[in-house]
Amino acid sequence: MFYKKIAAVVMSVVIAGSVPCTVFADTDVSAVTDGEVEELSIEEDFSDGTDSISALANALADKTVSDVAEYQEAKAEAEEIAQKRLEAEAAAEAARKAEEERKAAEEAARKAEEARVAKRQEIADFALQFVGNPYVYGGTSLTNGADCSGFVMSVFAQFGYELPRVAAAQCAASQKKSVEDIEVGDLVFYGDGGIDHVALYIGDGKIVHASTAATGIKVSDYNYRAPAAVGTFVE
């Protein structure tokens, strides 16, 4: 009978959870007889242990809730940091591409300007090779003779430009610019009360032109006469 009660107590402890067994510490089981066993109240003997288990369970539950909240907060913070990092990387990449595009645009503009200047210089260099050839009124031959407008017209024709035949018409058809902005390859027009002469500007304050029958095609200072206008057919 005694052992059955002990078994019942142990089973109750197992069912309830881990309960301290100090209740048996001062009991000499071998000395107890069936007639001497006192009724054991599981509820009274294990009430403290049961309360401790409940408190522990509540504490664990609170700790779990707290840990979950901290985890969620840390996760949200990590995601925000990761998002900011992605945004920063995207901004840096956009800035890098913008800088590359800017440099490419500058390089393209530089090459275009070099090509523009080179083309103007090519026209001037081409015209200079005919210095010394004769002036012929009404002529358009670079080798056998040309007048001022015939010389200019024939030079530009070599580069795909179709200029009018006479100086006044060339001046009217050209894009005007100030003398201060004159460039190699521009045309300088002369005349008092009307355009009667044209020359090609070659830089350094000089022009090449079919001057007169006495001097032929030659180089002169651009202001040997007062320029009436400056025009261009070249970009």
Side-chain angles (χ1 to χ4, degrees):
M1 182 64 177
F2 167 75
Y3 294 107
K4 289 182 179 180
K5 290 184 177 182
I6 293 295
V9 171
V10 172
M11 182 61 67
S12 297
V13 171
V14 172
I15 293 173
S18 299
V19 181
C21 294
T22 56
V23 67
F24 300 110
D26 298 327
T27 305
D28 185 356
V29 177
S30 62
V32 178
T33 64
D34 291 345
E36 296 174 342
V37 175
E38 296 180 357
E39 290 296 328
L40 299 176
S41 174
I42 297 174
E43 180 179 355
E44 293 178 357
D45 292 341
F46 293 96
S47 61
D48 290 342
T50 302
D51 291 343
S52 297
I53 292 172
S54 177
L56 177 60
N58 291 335
L60 288 174
D62 292 342
K63 183 65 167 60
T64 300
V65 171
S66 176
D67 288 347
V68 169
E70 290 178 359
Y71 167 76
Q72 294 294 345
E73 182 178 353
K75 180 181 178 183
E77 183 178 354
E79 290 175 348
E80 182 179 358
I81 292 173
Q83 180 62 30
K84 289 182 178 179
R85 182 180 293 113
L86 289 175
E87 292 174 355
E89 290 175 352
E93 179 64 13
R96 183 188 65 79
K97 288 183 178 180
E99 180 64 13
E100 288 181 351
E101 292 174 356
R102 183 189 66 79
K103 289 181 178 180
E106 287 182 351
E107 180 65 12
R110 183 186 65 80
K111 289 182 177 180
E113 177 62 12
E114 288 179 350
R116 187 187 73 85
V117 172
K119 185 176 184 180
R120 285 173 167 268
Q121 189 61 54
E122 187 179 2
I123 293 172
D125 292 342
F126 177 77
L128 283 170
Q129 66 182 312
F130 303 107
V131 170
N133 288 350
Y135 172 95
V136 175
Y137 180 78
T140 58
S141 173
L142 296 173
T143 55
N144 297 324
D147 60 16
C148 64
S149 58
F151 171 69
V152 168
M153 182 186 71
S154 296
V155 167
F156 275 82
Q158 296 297 314
F159 297 89
Y161 296 93
E162 295 184 5
L163 273 62
R165 175 62 184 86
V166 300
Q170 290 174 357
C171 181
S174 68
Q175 181 179 344
K176 305 303 184 299
K177 59 196 305 185
S178 67
V179 174
E180 290 77 12
D181 296 329
I182 193 170
E183 297 180 86
V184 173
D186 288 342
L187 298 181
V188 184
F189 299 97
Y190 304 89
D192 295 324
I195 302 300
D196 58 24
H197 190 64
V198 60
L200 176 65
Y201 187 73
I202 58 175
D204 296 326
K206 303 292 184 179
I207 56 171
V208 59
H209 58 140
S211 182
T212 64
T215 59
I217 298 173
K218 69 174 187 176
V219 173
S220 303
D221 291 334
Y222 88 99
N223 59 354
Y224 83 103
R225 292 173 62 186
V230 174
T232 188
F233 289 92
V234 187
E235 292 182 0

